Amino acid sequence: AAAAAPLLMQRYEGRARGRGVAAHGWRLCLAHRFEEPWQPYGAGDVPLAEVLRHIGLCWRYFFWWYKKTRLEKKSPFIDLLYAVPLQQIYGCPLGGIGGGTITRGWRGEFCRWQLNPGIYHYETVIADQFTVCLRRKGLTVYQQVLSVERPSTLQGWNWGYCGHYAFYHALYPRAWTVYELPGQNVVLTCRQVSPVIPHDYQDSSLPVGVFIWEVENGNDEDVEVSIMFSLQNGMGTKEDKRGGHWNEPFAFEKEGTRVAGVVLHHCTPVNPFSLAISAREKAGTTVTHFTAFNPTGSGKEVWQDLLQDGRLDSPAGESAPTEKGEVTAAAVCTSCTVPARGHRTLELALAWDMPRVHFGSKEKLHLRRYTRYFSSEGNAAPALSHYALTHYEEWEKKIDAWQKPVLENSQLPPWYKSALFNELYFLTDGGTIWVELSPECCKEDVQGPAGTGLSQLLPVLQEYGRFAYLEGQEYRMYNTYDVHFYASFALIMLWPKLQISLQYDIAVTVVNEDVKLRQCLMGGQTAQVKLKNVVPHDIGEPDDEPWQRVNAYLMHDTASWKDLNLKFVLQVYRDYYLTQNSLYLRDMWPVCQAVMETELQFDKDNDGLIENGGFADQTYDAWVVTGASAYCGGLWLAAVCMMCKMADVLGDHETMQKYSAILQKGKESFERLLWNGKYYNYDSSGSVTSNSIMSDQCAGQWFLGACGLDQGQFEVFPKSHVVSALKTIFEKNVMGFAGGTMGAVNGMTPHGAPDTSSLQSKEVWIGVVYALAATMIQEGLVEEGFRTAEGCYRTVWEKLGMAFQTPEAYCEKKVFRSLAYMRPLSIWSMQLALQSRAGHAAAAPAPTLANTLHP
């Protein structure tokens, strides 16, 4: 389907424009042949020892992994023995934020399931299909499953649709598949819509997807068209065969609109759920159904039923519960007559309802966000279906209004438009959970023993709930904070209240502690799980109890990491700058003071600059840093600057004087210890690689620029030095690496070879590259910024075929790490930089985003 002729696209775009549809953004990705093979670390020729680096760690990790997976029967927070294999099949995921997702591949299959929080099933369920039936003059002339598959089950169906007659397009949260039916002169366009709408905290939470089928009849006679949607009860796992599942037809009518379909009840002991397939009834449209059939059999009973008259029999009553070992499925069919040379629309929906969820520990019951608007009793699927089918047009208008300014900006390259929106898939498909705070929950329950100063904590969590997403689909830790630092731009720009809620949860954790001891895998030392006044690495894992027990990460003792506290301070001011939420700033100010006091201990020589500890003590957790460093030192100075700014805003003159003095000393030390005339050295250790060119060396300047603190009295890094460093990075790390076609390598030696001193120094981190590109744009290096970011997009989405599973990292030598990762959401910092430049060019007093964040 991804290899259709350009002629088809041109013809289709012409028809779409004729109907007033903005089609120009549709073909921006996924229509490519992919280069193979690429492999994850730890597979093929890449030994596990290279990933783990040390024999001692190998043994410690293996024994811990064995206990976790074989004895406790749980998934490890990072599984270095069994990486998720690359499958070049994924398309735009279905569903809103925090209610689970179902991914439909670009070939039409339903192939990735994330309904239980943070748990993925990479299963293609063959019965989950769309089938078309065409009838002329009372006779069926064409009936075809719209799938290129030729499976061993459902042999009574007509499989093997030729992919050369179809084309797939995705621009998240929508996707389009165009089917030309060979020899029929009929074109079908399936438009897939999910309610992912910026600044919308209601509909954006709904677990639904809508399929709008546009049917164009190019014949001189009427054609009766039926679209059948079939679905298995379950996700293609062994749970489908446990027995006790059942289906029932439904009809839901409200405000004059009737929706009919089948609910598939999936009755598991933990987190039971239901699926609903449905269609909208309207004038000239008929909706029929088949309540239950065996998806492992031939399927002839369904096929022949549809073939006979383009309808299904629609038996009344529910199906019998399945026996153990049995699987069941259902189908819904919507039909209409399309006049000669005419056009008609058929509307189908998929909804799922898992309202009450437990995490792996099963200690607490959580209600998903959408239960604020729909029942939490497990019977909401019909109402969700009706709501989706009667509101999707409103959703699309809002999505169009949001995306149109970007899509119609001729100065932006097409690949950037694709990346900007399609990378947002991770906000819903990142194991994302969005839950309500329990109504009976009191302030003491959420603030802990030390969180009394957060006056807005309870109001914020009660109004906007709790939000969490995984570091990656393979790195199973929620709200990994050193990585969220990069990704947070997407949240603060599009759903700022979720960013504020997340920050309150982090703040609560900061001021409390967990005195339990545990062994760290990297060094083998025993450490306290969480120290007071230290930002946690993460807020827990889905197999345990997030928020309740934090720091699932076991590789290092992150209490001694140098970047976590600083990233909290930087985000606090960035959030305030873009939202102007003064209550938030006042609440966070004591927490910022506390974490900065803790951070001051790392300035051993009192020169105003913190030092790294001679181990991997920051987000690059396999890349050793010693002494003053460009990355952590730059973040420190940026945080000190923002402490001065916040103190100024809040009228805290004593604190402002304190940090102004530190900033003055620190700036002098930073330049003296790290500036070499062209860029900032990796660190001040004097080691063989201390003068490596780090692509992320301007991370502090990136945040300062995003907050308008990069010039005038608050300038921290000399502009000439920043621009020189960025130009050096572009010359060496970008253009000197892989011919300038793969983005920026993390570390590059001055003589032009990648820094191979660690696993991570020789990698490209996509999220870091997007942040680097944003920094370049902020500093006026716009062309260099786009060229830098384009290398990552072309590599991930075109060469590797990693659509909707952008990894954390890849190397030049055809290996990658951690599929479907949080950090690439940093591309939204590029958009902020572009908006800020546009605002300055128009002589705006400040970036206009600050106003648009208040709907």
Side-chain angles (χ1 to χ4, degrees):
L7 176 61
L8 171 60
M9 190 58 216
Q10 293 167 11
R11 290 171 60 190
Y12 177 66
E13 285 190 346
R15 289 193 296 272
R17 281 193 294 270
R19 295 198 297 272
V21 179
H24 54 265
W26 296 2
R27 58 174 176 177
L28 298 178
C29 70
L30 297 181
H32 306 280
R33 294 191 180 278
F34 307 127
E35 295 181 3
E36 295 186 87
W38 280 72
Q39 294 180 323
Y41 288 118
D45 296 328
V46 184
L48 179 63
E50 181 180 343
V51 182
L52 300 181
R53 296 183 65 239
H54 302 295
I55 296 298
L57 172 60
C58 287
W59 282 110
R60 283 192 296 274
Y61 179 85
F62 175 76
F63 284 120
W64 172 85
W65 178 91
Y66 183 86
K67 178 184 176 185
K68 185 82 170 178
T69 62
R70 298 299 186 259
L71 302 181
E72 297 178 11
K73 304 296 183 182
K74 293 184 177 181
S75 300
F77 70 96
I78 299 177
D79 194 335
L80 296 176
L81 300 181
Y82 292 98
V84 175
L86 171 61
Q87 297 186 79
Q88 298 166 320
I89 62 174
Y90 297 116
C92 201
L94 290 153
I97 300 173
T101 49
I102 299 172
T103 297
R104 186 168 178 245
W106 53 267
R107 298 181 302 182
E109 66 271 66
F110 291 79
C111 50
R112 185 167 66 199
W113 307 77
Q114 190 265 134
L115 300 187
N116 288 290
I119 308 299
Y120 289 85
H121 299 290
Y122 302 92
E123 308 287 346
T124 295
V125 184
I126 203 64
D128 298 353
Q129 300 291 344
F130 289 102
T131 297
V132 60
C133 174
L134 302 183
R135 291 171 58 81
R136 293 189 179 93
K137 299 177 180 178
L139 296 175
T140 299
V141 296
Y142 183 86
Q143 188 162 301
Q144 173 71 53
V145 183
L146 295 172
S147 169
V148 296
E149 300 285 350
R150 297 180 182 275
S152 58
T153 56
L154 298 175
Q155 289 287 295
W157 295 15
N158 185 23
W159 296 92
Y161 177 83
C162 181
H164 289 287
Y165 292 100
F167 206 101
Y168 181 86
H169 321 264
L171 198 63
Y172 189 77
R174 294 184 291 179
W176 296 257
T177 311
V178 184
Y179 302 90
E180 284 199 343
L181 305 184
Q184 303 304 314
N185 204 14
V186 172
V187 176
L188 307 175
T189 303
C190 177
R191 189 167 78 254
Q192 173 184 311
V193 181
S194 292
V196 180
I197 305 162
H199 310 293
D200 182 312
Y201 299 92
Q202 175 176 321
D203 290 4
S204 291
S205 70
L206 303 182
V208 296
V210 180
F211 304 94
I212 305 98
W213 289 83
E214 308 280 355
V215 186
E216 295 177 85
N217 178 13
N219 297 286
D220 293 326
E221 60 180 342
D222 295 354
V223 176
E224 185 181 326
V225 179
S226 299
I227 302 292
M228 182 179 75
F229 185 8
S230 55
L231 193 76
Q232 183 168 312
N233 190 326
M235 298 177 281
T237 67
K238 62 181 181 181
E239 294 289 343
D240 293 5
K241 297 184 178 181
R242 68 174 292 118
H245 310 314
W246 54 284
N247 307 335
E248 66 171 333
F250 76 90
F252 191 101
E253 186 167 356
K254 185 178 180 181
E255 297 176 351
T257 301
R258 179 181 166 94
V259 166
V262 180
V263 178
L264 297 82
H265 299 277
H266 199 77
C267 305
T268 52
V270 179
N271 300 347
F273 65 93
S274 59
L275 300 159
I277 49 176
S278 61
R280 182 177 181 175
E281 293 183 355
K282 55 187 179 182
T285 300
T286 302
V287 178
T288 55
H289 69 268
F290 202 107
T291 307
F293 68 92
N294 178 10
T296 64
S298 69
K300 283 185 177 180
E301 68 276 30
V302 182
W303 192 261
Q304 293 300 322
D305 190 1
L306 182 65
L307 190 69
Q308 183 177 359
D309 57 4
R311 307 283 193 275
L312 298 175
D313 278 349
S314 297
E318 62 192 43
S319 69
T322 57
E323 298 291 335
K324 187 173 182 179
E326 290 183 344
V327 184
T328 187
V332 168
C333 177
T334 177
S335 311
C336 70
T337 298
V338 184
R341 304 292 176 181
H343 165 265
R344 289 289 183 271
T345 301
L346 298 170
E347 301 152 306
L348 290 147
L350 171 61
W352 52 99
D353 183 27
M354 185 190 284
R356 306 158 70 86
V357 294
H358 289 89
F359 291 102
S361 70
K362 303 181 182 64
E363 292 176 25
K364 291 191 173 185
L365 177 67
H366 302 269
L367 298 182
R368 294 195 194 258
R369 169 71 175 187
Y370 73 88
T371 62
R372 174 174 291 206
Y373 315 106
F374 291 86
S375 170
S376 62
E377 299 303 315
N379 57 1
L384 283 164
S385 302
H386 185 277
Y387 190 88
L389 286 166
T390 54
H391 285 78
Y392 78 85
E393 292 170 300
E394 176 187 335
W395 298 342
E396 289 201 281
K397 288 177 183 177
K398 293 179 179 178
I399 293 169
D400 281 333
W402 162 44
Q403 295 184 340
K404 189 175 181 180
V406 173
L407 298 179
E408 293 190 347
N409 187 339
S410 60
Q411 296 181 340
L412 299 176
W415 68 263
Y416 171 76
K417 300 172 185 179
S418 173
L420 183 69
F421 294 112
N422 282 330
E423 290 291 6
L424 282 175
Y425 83 94
F426 195 81
L427 276 182
T428 61
D429 201 25
T432 312
I433 185 71
W434 185 6
V435 295
E436 292 283 87
L437 203 61
S438 174
E440 58 270 13
C441 190
C442 63
K443 192 171 183 178
E444 290 71 23
D445 293 331
V446 293
Q447 72 184 14
T452 56
L454 300 170
S455 67
Q456 295 300 302
L457 169 66
L458 199 59
V460 166
L461 295 184
Q462 285 175 335
E463 180 62 25
Y464 296 102
R466 277 180 152 162
F467 170 87
Y469 60 153
L470 297 177
E471 179 179 337
Q473 291 182 9
E474 294 189 70
Y475 288 15
R476 303 174 62 255
M477 297 156 283
Y478 275 123
N479 294 351
T480 300
Y481 202 72
D482 57 306
V483 183
H484 172 70
F485 172 72
Y486 295 83
S488 62
F489 279 89
L491 270 188
I492 194 60
M493 292 178 70
L494 301 174
W495 291 274
K497 303 299 185 181
L498 294 184
Q499 167 68 7
I500 299 299
S501 170
L502 186 155
Q503 285 286 89
Y504 270 102
D505 272 326
I506 293 294
V508 167
T509 307
V510 167
V511 298
N512 289 289
E513 65 179 338
D514 185 338
V515 299
K516 298 187 192 74
L517 298 179
R518 63 180 181 181
Q519 186 181 51
C520 299
L521 296 175
M522 185 63 75
Q525 76 273 22
T526 299
Q528 193 170 317
V529 172
K530 168 69 179 62
L531 297 181
K532 187 175 182 179
N533 295 335
V534 174
V535 172
H537 174 273
D538 57 81
I539 56 105
E541 59 180 315
D543 268 339
D544 194 6
E545 193 63 52
W547 297 294
Q548 188 79 7
R549 285 183 288 278
V550 303
N551 280 342
Y553 179 84
L554 287 174
M555 289 297 184
H556 298 274
D557 174 15
T558 57
S560 57
W561 276 22
K562 308 305 183 291
D563 60 338
L564 291 168
N565 291 352
L566 305 175
K567 288 172 175 176
F568 179 81
V569 174
L570 294 172
Q571 287 184 69
V572 165
Y573 182 74
R574 189 272 320 273
D575 298 346
Y576 165 74
Y577 175 73
L578 293 178
T579 65
Q580 295 298 300
N581 187 335
S582 57
L583 290 175
Y584 165 73
L585 182 63
R586 290 188 181 278
D587 263 4
M588 294 298 163
W589 179 235
V591 185
C592 289
Q593 291 176 292
V595 299
M596 288 297 281
E597 282 297 318
T598 300
E599 194 76 12
L600 273 169
Q601 69 177 302
F602 300 124
D603 180 8
K604 303 293 185 183
D605 53 7
N606 197 32
D607 66 348
L609 191 64
I610 63 169
E611 290 86 37
N612 289 87
F615 60 98
D617 53 358
Q618 27 70 46
T619 194
Y620 297 87
D621 57 352
W623 194 359
V624 173
V625 202
T626 303
S629 70
Y631 183 70
C632 289
L635 292 175
W636 162 256
L637 292 180
V640 171
C641 174
M642 289 189 183
M643 289 293 288
C644 296
K645 180 64 177 177
M646 287 188 283
D648 184 38
V649 171
L650 295 170
D652 188 340
H653 302 297
E654 182 180 346
T655 302
M656 184 176 180
Q657 289 177 352
K658 172 183 176 179
Y659 281 99
S660 294
I662 293 172
L663 181 60
Q664 188 58 41
K665 281 198 305 182
K667 288 197 296 185
E668 295 172 0
S669 301
F670 190 78
E671 296 296 324
R672 172 172 49 84
L673 293 170
L674 296 170
W675 179 251
N676 64 19
K678 292 188 67 178
Y679 60 92
Y680 294 102
N681 286 334
Y682 177 66
D683 65 22
S684 63
S685 66
S687 67
V688 175
T689 57
S690 68
N691 63 346
S692 284
I693 307 163
M694 186 187 196
S695 66
D696 211 4
Q697 64 183 269
C698 296
Q701 177 71 8
W702 169 46
F703 251 72
L704 289 171
C707 300
L709 295 178
D710 55 341
Q711 52 193 341
Q713 64 171 322
F714 288 102
E715 181 180 288
V716 175
F717 309 99
K719 278 287 184 182
S720 60
H721 289 188
V722 171
V723 172
S724 175
L726 292 173
K727 287 183 175 179
T728 302
I729 294 168
F730 183 72
E731 175 191 350
K732 299 290 189 178
N733 299 55
V734 179
M735 300 308 294
F737 175 74
T741 63
M742 295 181 72
V745 67
N746 281 341
M748 181 68 82
T749 61
H751 57 270
D755 180 343
T756 58
S757 62
S758 78
L759 173 74
Q760 293 172 340
S761 58
K762 62 184 178 180
E763 291 180 327
V764 175
W765 287 11
I766 296 92
V768 167
V769 172
Y770 289 150
L772 169 63
T775 313
M776 291 176 171
I777 291 169
Q778 289 171 183
E779 302 302 327
L781 304 175
V782 178
E783 183 178 343
E784 291 88 342
F786 277 118
R787 178 68 184 270
T788 297
E790 181 178 4
C792 281
Y793 174 83
R794 301 290 185 194
T795 300
V796 170
W797 290 80
E798 296 179 359
K799 295 179 182 178
L800 275 66
M802 290 182 171
F804 300 103
Q805 51 184 330
T806 304
E808 157 74 318
Y810 57 76
C811 291
E812 188 176 7
K813 300 299 182 183
K814 291 188 178 291
V815 289
F816 62 87
R817 181 166 60 82
S818 186
L819 284 173
Y821 199 77
M822 177 197 291
R823 204 182 318 248
L825 286 167
S826 63
I827 193 171
W828 277 86
S829 68
M830 291 181 65
Q831 186 63 13
L832 178 61
L834 291 167
Q835 290 177 205
S836 298
R837 285 182 59 80
H840 291 312
T848 56
L849 179 66
N851 298 322
T852 64
L853 286 180
H854 295 280

